[in-house]
Amino acid sequence: MSQRREVNNTMKLLDRLETLLTLAECNSFTETAKRLYCTQPTITKHVQQLEAYFGATLLIRDGNGIRWTAAGEIALNYSRKTIHLLMEAQEKVRHSVLQHNQICSIYTSQYIASCHLPEILNAYHRKFPNQLLEIHALNYADLRQALLAGQARFALMPLYEEDEQLQEHFTSRQLFEEQLVLVMPADHPWASRKRVAMRELNRQTLLLSQSKYMNQLISQYLQRYNARVQFLQMSNFQIIAQAVKAHLGLSFLPAPVVTEWLARGELAAVPLSSLSLTRSNGLLIPLKSRLTEPEQDFIRETASYFKSRFPKIV
C-alpha cells in the first residue's frame, strides 16, 4: 500500500509541475485554467501545494500578471528538466520495446509516403512477410525534430544543404532527384504553351508549402532570374494542388504529386525556358548509428526501389 501511495503522490506532483510550466507559458491563471480544462481555484491550489512542497513562495500575482520569485525560477528550471527527462525515458523505453519485438519504425515525409511508400512496402512485405513495421508520415519540420530528439533512427525525406544542423549530425544518402514542375489550372492561358519564360512569372501569385527549406530553394531560383512574385503559404502539396485548381495561384510541385490531376485534365504543367528546378530526396541516418537488421533490410529495399526508377542517382 505504501508503494502505491508513493506512486500516486509522484503522479500528483508531476501533474502540479505541468500546472507550473503551463502557468509560466500563459502568465495568467485564467488562461492556464482554460488550457488545462479546470478552474482558477484549482490552479491556485496546485501552486499552493507546490509552495508547500518546496517550502518557499514561487510567484507573486500583481496587476501586470505573474512575477516569479528566485525560488520560483529554480523550481521552473528543474520542472522543465524533470519533464524532459521523463519524456526522454519514455522514448528510450519505447525504442527498447520496439527492438525487443523487432518492430521496425519508419519515419518518412508525407510526400514520399503518399507517392512512393506503397510500392516500397509491397516489395518489402513480399520478402519479409512477418516483419512488423510502424509508419510515421510527417512534414519536414516534424521529421527534423524527430531526428534531433532521437525518436527517429533514420528518415526518408528531402535533403537540403542549407539545413546545417542535420548535415552536421547525420549521414545523408541521396536516393533520387526530382523536378519541381510549374503547375497551373487546366484553363490557364499558358496551359497550351510549350514553355513559359521566367520573366512571365513577374507579378504572379505563387503558392508555397510550409517547408522552410523548400521555400528557400524556390525563392533562390526565382531571384536568380529576377522574377518577382507574390507568395501565399498553404499547408501541404495536396492542399496546394487543390488551391491551384481553384485559381488561387501557380505553384512548383514535385511531378508525382500532380500526375493524377494532369491525367484527369484538372491541372496543367508547363516547362520553363530556363534551367529546371530540382530537389534531392534521400536518407538521413545519425552518425555512428547502429541500425538493426530489419532497419537495414528496409533501407536496402528502399534503395533498390529508387534505383529502378532513378538509376543515375542511387
Side-chain angles (χ1 to χ4, degrees):
M1 288 295 292
S2 61
Q3 185 176 6
R4 183 183 299 176
R5 188 181 302 112
E6 186 176 335
V7 170
N8 289 338
N9 290 338
T10 300
M11 297 304 293
K12 287 181 181 179
L13 177 59
L14 292 174
D15 185 52
R16 304 311 183 254
L17 293 183
E18 181 185 7
T19 298
L20 198 69
L21 294 176
T22 306
L23 192 56
E25 289 181 15
C26 297
N27 197 39
S28 162
F29 276 66
T30 302
E31 291 302 317
T32 300
K34 289 180 181 178
R35 178 88 65 89
L36 299 179
Y37 301 99
C38 62
T39 64
Q40 280 187 250
T42 299
I43 303 300
T44 301
K45 183 179 179 181
H46 285 186
V47 172
Q48 291 172 344
Q49 290 171 339
L50 283 173
E51 289 180 330
Y53 177 83
F54 287 111
T57 300
L58 301 181
L59 57 88
I60 298 172
R61 300 173 68 177
D62 56 31
N64 296 322
I66 297 170
R67 180 163 54 87
W68 295 91
T69 64
E73 293 290 352
I74 294 172
L76 279 174
N77 183 35
Y78 278 92
S79 295
R80 293 188 182 101
K81 291 180 180 179
T82 299
I83 298 301
H84 175 76
L85 285 172
L86 284 171
M87 292 175 65
E88 183 178 316
Q90 181 187 44
E91 191 59 36
K92 288 190 178 297
V93 169
R94 175 179 168 277
H95 274 306
S96 176
V97 172
L98 289 177
Q99 290 180 14
H100 177 74
N101 294 329
Q102 288 293 290
I103 298 174
C104 187
S105 189
I106 310 300
Y107 282 78
T108 176
S109 69
Q110 293 171 339
Y111 160 62
I112 292 178
S114 62
C115 295
H116 298 288
L117 194 60
E119 290 189 51
I120 295 173
L121 293 177
N122 285 336
Y124 181 83
H125 185 67
R126 284 195 295 270
K127 283 191 176 182
F128 308 96
N130 298 322
Q131 178 60 53
L132 299 176
L133 297 178
E134 181 183 73
I135 309 298
H136 303 269
L138 307 172
N139 60 36
Y140 184 88
D142 289 340
L143 278 175
R144 188 177 188 278
Q145 180 59 33
L147 283 168
L148 293 173
Q151 296 173 352
R153 291 170 55 79
F154 68 91
L156 281 165
M157 61 191 295
L159 304 177
Y160 298 113
E161 293 182 359
E162 294 81 4
D163 194 338
E164 296 179 357
Q165 190 173 16
L166 288 189
Q167 293 297 319
E168 180 181 354
H169 294 96
F170 296 85
T171 299
S172 62
R173 177 182 177 184
Q174 184 178 358
L175 294 177
F176 68 101
E177 187 176 66
E178 63 191 348
Q179 183 177 358
L180 301 180
V181 297
L182 180 64
V183 180
M184 61 197 67
D187 58 355
H188 192 280
W190 298 347
S192 59
R193 299 260 299 271
K194 291 185 177 180
R195 290 191 178 275
V196 173
M198 281 294 296
R199 66 176 181 276
E200 295 182 271
L201 291 180
N202 281 323
R203 294 186 295 278
Q204 295 291 322
T205 298
L206 200 66
L207 309 182
L208 300 177
S209 70
Q210 293 182 339
S211 171
K212 169 185 173 183
Y213 294 101
M214 181 173 175
N215 294 346
Q216 285 182 0
L217 179 69
I218 294 173
S219 297
Q220 291 168 2
Y221 180 77
L222 294 171
Q223 289 171 8
R224 189 186 312 164
Y225 296 97
N226 297 315
R228 295 184 178 132
V229 302
Q230 174 180 315
F231 293 115
L232 288 180
Q233 198 167 50
M234 303 285 169
S235 58
N236 56 52
F237 291 156
Q238 290 299 324
I239 295 298
I240 290 176
Q242 293 175 13
V244 171
K245 180 185 174 184
H247 298 81
L248 298 184
L250 312 178
S251 186
F252 286 104
L253 293 174
V257 171
V258 293
T259 298
E260 294 184 5
W261 298 77
L262 298 176
R264 294 194 299 264
E266 297 175 346
L267 293 175
V270 180
L272 292 170
S273 58
S274 56
L275 295 174
S276 61
L277 176 60
T278 59
R279 181 178 73 156
S280 296
N281 290 267
L283 284 163
L284 278 174
I285 304 172
L287 295 174
K288 301 180 180 179
S289 175
R290 297 181 62 182
L291 298 179
T292 64
E293 186 175 341
E295 290 169 339
Q296 294 178 39
D297 290 337
F298 183 83
I299 288 175
R300 279 193 292 269
E301 288 302 312
T302 300
S304 176
Y305 165 83
F306 286 113
K307 184 176 182 179
S308 67
R309 287 157 179 76
F310 304 90
K312 295 181 181 179
I313 300 296
V314 181

